[in-house]
Structures are given as structure tokens and as C-alpha cells.
Amino acid sequence: MKRIFTAYKDLLSIIFKEAPVMVVLTFICAVVTGLLTPIGVYVNQNVFDGGLAVAAGTMRFEDYTVYLVLFVAVALLPNIIYDLFVFNYVQPRSLLVLRTAYKGRMLQKLKTMKYEHFESEQSMEIIDKAYNRAENSARHLWPMYVAWTLSSIVASAGIIYHLARIEWWLVLTVLAPFILQVVFVSKKNLNIYDELEHYWNKERRYNILGWCLRSRDFAKEMKAFGNAGWLRETYVKRLNARNKEYEGFYFKHLKRNLLGYNITKIAPVANVLLLLYLFLTGPMSIGTLIAMSMVVFNQAYMSLGGSTILFRASGWHIKFYDYYDKFFNLSDEAEGAASGMPKNFSVEFKDVWFKYPGHTGEQLQTHDSEAETAGIGTDKYVLKGLSFKVEDGMKASVVGENGEGKSTMVKLLLGLFTPNSGEILVGGKNLNEYPLSVRAKIFGPVFQDFPRYSITLAENIGVGNIDEISDEEKIIAAAKKGKADEFAKQFENGYATLLGRDFEGGVDVSGGQWQRIAIARAFMGDKPVLLLDEPTSQLDPMAEAALYNEFAGMTENKTALFITHRLGSTMITDKIFVISDGKIAEEGTHDGLMETGGIYAEMFNAQKQWYIAEGKEGTPQEFLCKEGTPQEFLSKEAEANA
């Protein structure tokens, strides 16, 4: 009960602040609507008795017309008040106010929430229900339940008053069945909202597949493979499986609920018979009999039920407010005490151990090969004492096979997850000492699965540093570094061109151009540390090597980490770290590691044919020696492939 009042206090304060007159008018309309029920009894009584009096000549028709006008008014006013004002004005406007307030709060929370919650199924259930269902619950709580409850209380009081005027014990014969049903239903009733809690996973399975079927991103492949029919059938099967399971549960409990729901359906018949008995044995008028029979049969139990709806039904919706509370209790990123940027931009991992959260049964919602290899749902560590240091201004490659911990390392460096033990230092200071606002200015990441926003080209680049998103000069400078300016010039609207096909007038660009945009985004704000997490995995090896050559120039005077399982970047970096089984297995230069003949040498020899141009023989290293510097060699190869 306390939680119900807390929820109402919050939502009413939000709406009253925005539209106080609307709130007051809603309460007034609810009271007026409730009064129309007992007034209607009085009017109906006089319509019938007055009609007989007019027919008998004991009442003038002019006097009788007053009741006819009131009869029409009482019949029309409830629909006018509820349909035109409450449901067509108050409810949609309130929903807009609450949506703005709730979504605004939640979006603010999402900015500070730890990233790990987005990869946890338990947390995602909380986020989903808070974000998508609390709003719908609010729509029921206000104005629906408030108006319905208040008007029903007033109507019930009026009906009881009329019953007591006839015989005091009629109040008991009407109230007793209602109280009996409330007690029975409260103990035995199937709570549909409780049951829906258990079907969230099933709903999510078919909802996500349904989104895929509607998405343009999936349409091309579905057409190419002709698998849309099968996917649609799978969607229908999942939906039907969920529905059948729920229906089975519902009908299982239907018999025990049947009696409880029908107590107040039998009671009106008995009470109307009592009224008929009183009419036949007493001085009750025909108008009173008809008016009271109508209200007992059609409205009495509806009004009595409505008078308790706020307390009976609100509890169901409050469950989604519980998720709203849980949402705001999800942990946030560490605030960090450091106010400025580091003095230098060295990056160091010191004996870092890490396993993904959820090892007690919670499953992560991730397609990260390292998370999968780590065995989510177990105690297996992905990183096992990872230690290495990249000096300020150094360009380093971190290489290793898929699933060895490279992408996990990047997530830790960006603060998306926190190590179980050990520490990560930037400029000699623990990463957690820097607030999120500072970390965002230190790192410029380019991911393998970089996002493609359906906004303008300028905005797609500018979101890399939101503080400078309106600075056209800096956006163009970043575009030049990422070489996105080369195709920006070809667009009629230049940097104002809307990208993607989600909206009319949008322009689709190639995967390579999107990649250039992602790189330009990383250069927004002149970030001192660049993180390139397999950004070239979709390119062929020679194009990849050429692009890494460009990075060499782009990253001048910056600390740069190239994370990859392909070795196109190793020729242009100062140092190579080989990660295996969650820790550094080898480190050194290309020549030194090749002489060692370890993991790196095996990987390089296995991949060397990828980087040999057609018509040439030997290894990439031999070509580098023949053709000059790595940069010269790669530049020539890039020109040849262009």
C-alpha cells in the first residue's frame, strides 16, 4: 500500500506541475460523474411516476418536461465527460507529460549506468520493463484508476443512500455479496500481471525475431537466401508456444475463479426480487421500483467494484514501478576524483584478472567471441594476470587468435567493465580515478562493429565528441584525418547529407565509407589515445595493410593500440604484444619475434600469403626490404589496388 501511495505522489506531482488546472478538473469531473448515478435514480423515478401522473391528468406536461430534459442530460453527460475530457484529453496529455518525465530520467540514468548491465539478462529485464512498461502502468494509475475510483465511491454512496431510504437492510443484501466476492477473489484470483512476469524471456525471443523480420538490415539476406518464410514460421511458433503455455495456465485456474467472479452476477437478481416484494407489499411507487431495479441490476456492483479498483488493480501495476526502482538502483560508473587530463598518456595493465559477471547463472547478452569462449555461466577467467605497458606516444599492436582476450582488454580499458583484481593505469594513475567525462576525452576508439547512425554525415562524425558537435571546422578536420572528406565532397548537401535509408532522403554509403566515418569519429576532440579494435576485419588483407599504413600518419604524436588477429598492423608499430590464454605470451619487435620462432612467428607465417601482391614472390618482410620502408611498400600496394 505504501508503494502505491508513493507512486501516486510521484506521478501526480509531475502532472500537477505541468498542468494543475487539468488535474483539478479531472477530480471535479470524477465527482460529478459519480453524482450522476444517484441523480439518475431520482430522475428515472420521476420520469416513470411523472409519466403516469401526466396520463392521469394530475401533472402538467410542462412540469414533466423538466424530468425529460434531465433524463437526456444524465444519459449523455457521463459519456461526454469520460470520452471527450478524461480519455481523449486528460489521458493522452498526461501520458505525454509522464513519458517525457520518465524517459528523461531513465535516459539520464542510462548515461551513467555501468556498461556491464547491458550484457546481463537480469539487468536487461529490469531495463526493458522499467523503460517500456512503467509508462503504461502510469496510464492506468492516472487518470483511469483515480477517476474511476472517485466517481465509483460517490456513485456507491448515492446508491446506498437510496437503498437505505427504502429499507435499511437492503444495504446489507447488496453489500454482503460484494464483500464476499472481494474476499474470495483476493485469496484465489489469478493475477495476470504476476503471470506475465514469467513470460518475459519468451516474449523477448519472438519480439526480437519479429524486429529482424521488419528490419531493412535483414531483408537483403532473407531475399537472397529465401529464408523469410521459415523465419516467419519460427516467429509464429514462438508466439504460439508462449500463448499456449499461458492459456494452459489460465484455464487450469479458471474453474476455481468461476464461482468468485459470479457472486455479484447472481446477487442483483436476488435483490431485484426483494425490491419487487417490497413493491407488492408496501407503498413503493412503480417509478421507484423500476429506477432502483435498473441501478441495482446494472450499476450497483459496477460502482462498488470501481470504488476498490485503485487498491485492487494498482498493486498489479506497481510491480512495474518496482522495476522502475530497480532500474535506478543499477550500479553507475565510478565517479572518479581526478579533475584534469593525465600528464602523459602511457597505458599500463598490471596483473589484471577478469571474468565476465554472471558466473552464478546470469547469462550475458553478448556475441563477443571472447565472452563465449570464456564460458559465461562459469568461473572461467578471460584475462589471467595480463601485464604490459605502452609508453606515451608509442604505437603498439596487441595480437592474438580470436577468443584470447583482446576485445575484453579494450572493454576494460574503456571502463566498460572493472577488473576482478589488478589495475589499469593511464599516465601512471588508476583508470577508475578518472570520471567518465575525462575518459571520453582520452580515448578515441574504432570498433569492428562500429555503429551507423541515421543522422547527417556531420553528426555521425561529431558524436565522437559531443562537446564539439556544432563545431564545423573540427568536424571537417576530423573527416580529413579519417579521409571521409573525400566522399563528403561528392554529396550534394555535403556534410549535411542524411545517411542511411531509415528516413526519406537518406543516402546509403558503402561499408568502406562507413569505416572512414568511424575513424573520423575517433579523431573528434583530438583524442590522445587511439584504440583500433579490429576495425579492418571486413577488408581484404592488402587493403587492411594499406589502411594501417594510413593510421601510421594519422596517429602521429599519439599513443595508439592496434588490436587484431591479423598482422597487417605489426609492420608500422613500435612494439608487438602477443596475448594468449589471457596474458602476454610474447612481446617485442617484428624481427625479434620472428627470430624467437614462437606464437607470433607461427601466426605470421600462416598469414604471409595474404600480404603478397600478385606476381611477386617471397614474404612480406622481404618485400619491405626490397621496396624500402614499410610505409613506402604499403603505399605502393594501396595505389596498385586502388
Side-chain angles (χ1 to χ4, degrees):
M1 190 64 69
K2 182 180 179 181
R3 185 65 187 88
I4 294 175
F5 285 113
T6 302
Y8 271 110
K9 180 181 178 182
D10 182 40
L11 69 87
L12 283 174
S13 65
I14 292 171
I15 297 171
F16 190 81
K17 182 179 180 180
E18 183 71 21
V21 175
M22 182 185 73
V23 174
V24 173
L25 286 176
T26 301
F27 280 102
I28 293 173
C29 286
V31 172
V32 171
T33 305
L35 288 172
L36 288 175
T37 296
I39 291 173
V41 173
Y42 169 78
V43 171
N44 289 339
Q45 175 185 334
N46 282 279
V47 166
F48 288 109
D49 288 340
L52 293 174
V54 170
T58 57
M59 176 183 282
R60 292 188 311 157
F61 184 78
E62 290 79 3
D63 297 331
Y64 179 66
T65 55
V66 174
Y67 298 111
L68 294 178
V69 171
L70 287 173
F71 177 82
V72 174
V74 170
L76 294 178
L77 276 175
N79 291 332
I80 292 174
I81 292 173
Y82 269 99
D83 292 347
L84 295 183
F85 182 71
V86 176
F87 290 120
N88 288 335
Y89 173 68
V90 177
Q91 182 167 291
R93 187 180 180 194
S94 297
L95 188 58
L96 288 174
V97 172
L98 291 169
R99 179 180 297 159
T100 302
Y102 288 157
K103 291 289 172 70
R105 292 175 181 177
M106 287 188 275
L107 288 172
Q108 185 63 35
K109 171 67 177 180
L110 289 173
K111 287 172 59 179
T112 60
M113 188 185 299
K114 281 187 175 180
Y115 170 82
E116 65 187 52
H117 295 301
F118 294 97
E119 295 199 15
S120 161
E121 187 173 63
Q122 291 181 354
S123 295
M124 283 306 299
E125 180 176 4
I126 292 170
I127 294 169
D128 175 73
K129 289 182 176 179
Y131 197 80
N132 295 315
R133 301 191 186 187
E135 177 185 302
N136 183 58
S137 294
R139 177 179 65 85
H140 284 81
L141 296 176
W142 171 270
M144 189 185 300
Y145 289 167
V146 169
W148 190 359
T149 300
L150 183 56
S151 65
S152 295
I153 289 173
V154 174
S156 297
I159 292 170
I160 290 171
Y161 167 76
H162 280 296
L163 289 169
R165 287 187 62 194
I166 299 170
E167 289 288 350
W168 67 268
W169 49 263
L170 280 175
V171 175
L172 299 180
T173 63
V174 170
L175 288 179
F178 170 71
I179 294 170
L180 181 63
Q181 178 169 301
V182 169
V183 172
F184 183 87
V185 170
S186 65
K187 292 182 178 180
K188 302 292 185 180
N189 188 30
L190 169 66
N191 187 336
I192 187 173
Y193 291 93
D194 281 343
E195 296 314 312
L196 285 174
E197 297 292 292
H198 302 298
Y199 294 94
W200 180 80
N201 280 325
K202 288 186 173 62
E203 288 179 4
R204 197 159 185 259
R205 286 186 71 213
Y206 69 76
N207 280 334
I208 290 177
L209 182 54
W211 176 82
C212 293
L213 289 169
R214 299 189 302 271
S215 173
R216 182 176 66 90
D217 294 336
F218 293 84
K220 181 169 62 176
E221 182 170 300
M222 286 191 293
K223 290 286 186 183
F225 288 109
N227 57 24
W230 182 89
L231 289 169
R232 178 188 168 279
E233 289 176 6
T234 302
Y235 169 80
V236 172
K237 286 178 182 177
R238 289 182 178 181
L239 178 60
N240 287 340
R242 179 264 187 205
N243 289 342
K244 285 181 180 178
E245 188 174 344
Y246 175 71
E247 287 170 7
F249 187 93
Y250 182 82
F251 286 111
K252 176 182 175 182
H253 296 272
L254 182 61
K255 289 182 180 178
R256 80 176 186 187
N257 292 321
L258 197 59
L259 175 63
Y261 279 119
N262 285 287
I263 294 174
T264 54
K265 289 182 173 61
I266 299 170
V269 177
N271 280 290
V272 168
L273 291 174
L274 285 173
L275 287 170
L276 180 60
Y277 169 77
L278 292 173
F279 170 72
L280 295 173
T281 59
M284 184 189 300
S285 70
I286 186 67
T288 302
L289 171 65
I290 295 173
M292 289 306 300
S293 296
M294 288 172 59
V295 78
V296 168
F297 203 81
N298 296 320
Q299 289 180 283
Y301 290 105
M302 185 183 299
S303 296
L304 288 169
S307 65
T308 62
I309 192 69
L310 187 146
F311 305 101
R312 288 189 294 112
S314 292
W316 301 341
H317 295 287
I318 290 303
K319 289 186 178 295
F320 296 124
Y321 272 87
D322 290 341
Y323 282 99
Y324 186 73
D325 292 339
K326 291 176 183 177
F327 173 81
F328 285 97
N329 287 330
L330 292 174
S331 54
D332 288 327
E333 299 284 355
E335 288 293 332
S339 57
M341 296 283 277
K343 294 180 179 179
N344 67 73
F345 298 98
S346 62
V347 174
E348 183 177 6
F349 279 64
K350 295 181 69 175
D351 194 28
V352 171
W353 289 74
F354 176 75
K355 59 185 173 185
Y356 281 94
H359 59 274
T360 57
E362 176 183 341
Q363 298 298 307
L364 296 187
Q365 302 300 297
T366 178
H367 299 292
D368 191 317
S369 60
E370 290 168 7
E372 293 168 2
T373 303
I376 301 306
T378 71
D379 289 322
K380 186 175 180 180
Y381 279 91
V382 182
L383 301 182
K384 306 171 184 178
L386 183 66
S387 297
F388 70 93
K389 184 174 183 179
V390 179
E391 298 291 350
D392 184 22
M394 177 186 286
K395 296 169 185 57
S397 289
V398 180
V399 302
E401 298 292 349
N402 284 331
E404 295 291 353
K406 302 185 302 299
S407 292
T408 297
M409 179 194 76
V410 174
K411 290 178 181 179
L412 291 173
L413 187 55
L414 291 174
L416 304 181
F417 289 96
T418 304
N420 296 94
S421 63
E423 59 180 349
I424 302 171
L425 307 177
V426 177
K429 188 178 292 186
N430 192 296
L431 180 66
N432 291 333
E433 294 186 29
Y434 299 103
L436 184 62
S437 57
V438 173
R439 294 204 303 266
K441 294 178 180 178
I442 296 174
F443 301 109
V446 182
F447 299 106
Q448 175 183 345
D449 52 347
F450 48 82
R452 307 179 183 197
Y453 300 106
S454 293
I455 51 182
T456 67
L457 173 58
E459 290 167 336
N460 258 289
I461 297 172
V463 291
N465 184 16
I466 204 67
D467 294 335
E468 298 176 348
I469 197 168
S470 299
D471 194 321
E472 186 177 348
E473 290 184 4
K474 290 185 177 179
I475 288 173
I476 294 174
K480 287 180 178 178
K481 288 181 180 179
K483 296 199 173 180
D485 65 317
E486 296 177 359
F487 58 86
K489 298 172 184 176
Q490 301 171 9
F491 296 140
E492 182 179 349
N493 295 322
Y495 288 93
T497 301
L498 179 65
L499 300 184
R501 293 290 190 185
D502 291 328
F503 304 103
E504 186 177 354
V507 175
D508 232 350
V509 297
S510 69
Q513 289 172 324
W514 274 114
Q515 199 157 46
R516 293 291 183 182
I517 293 169
I519 294 168
R521 189 182 298 150
F523 280 101
M524 277 298 296
D526 196 27
K527 311 288 178 63
V529 181
L530 293 181
L531 304 174
L532 305 164
D533 185 11
E534 308 230 35
T536 60
S537 60
Q538 298 179 23
L539 300 180
D540 66 79
M542 289 305 296
E544 175 196 43
L547 186 57
Y548 275 127
N549 176 54
E550 293 177 16
F551 286 153
M554 295 177 189
T555 59
E556 188 176 357
N557 299 322
K558 296 180 184 292
T559 303
L561 273 73
F562 301 86
I563 294 90
T564 182
H565 70 283
R566 303 200 313 199
L567 307 184
S569 68
T570 58
M571 302 296 184
I572 62 168
T573 53
D574 304 312
K575 198 168 188 179
I576 302 165
F577 297 95
V578 182
I579 186 170
S580 177
D581 194 29
K583 55 183 176 292
I584 298 300
E586 301 172 1
E587 63 178 274
T589 62
H590 170 81
D591 291 335
L593 292 174
M594 289 300 292
E595 289 178 7
T596 302
I599 298 172
Y600 177 82
E602 290 180 9
M603 290 179 64
F604 189 88
N605 287 327
Q607 298 180 19
K608 63 183 179 182
Q609 70 274 12
W610 296 351
Y611 302 98
I612 298 175
E614 185 178 353
K616 296 183 179 181
E617 297 179 355
T619 66
Q621 184 65 12
E622 290 170 347
F623 288 131
L624 291 174
C625 294
K626 293 177 183 177
E627 303 291 340
T629 66
Q631 288 79 6
E632 290 172 348
F633 167 74
L634 292 171
S635 295
K636 291 178 182 179
E637 291 299 325
E639 291 173 5
N641 290 329

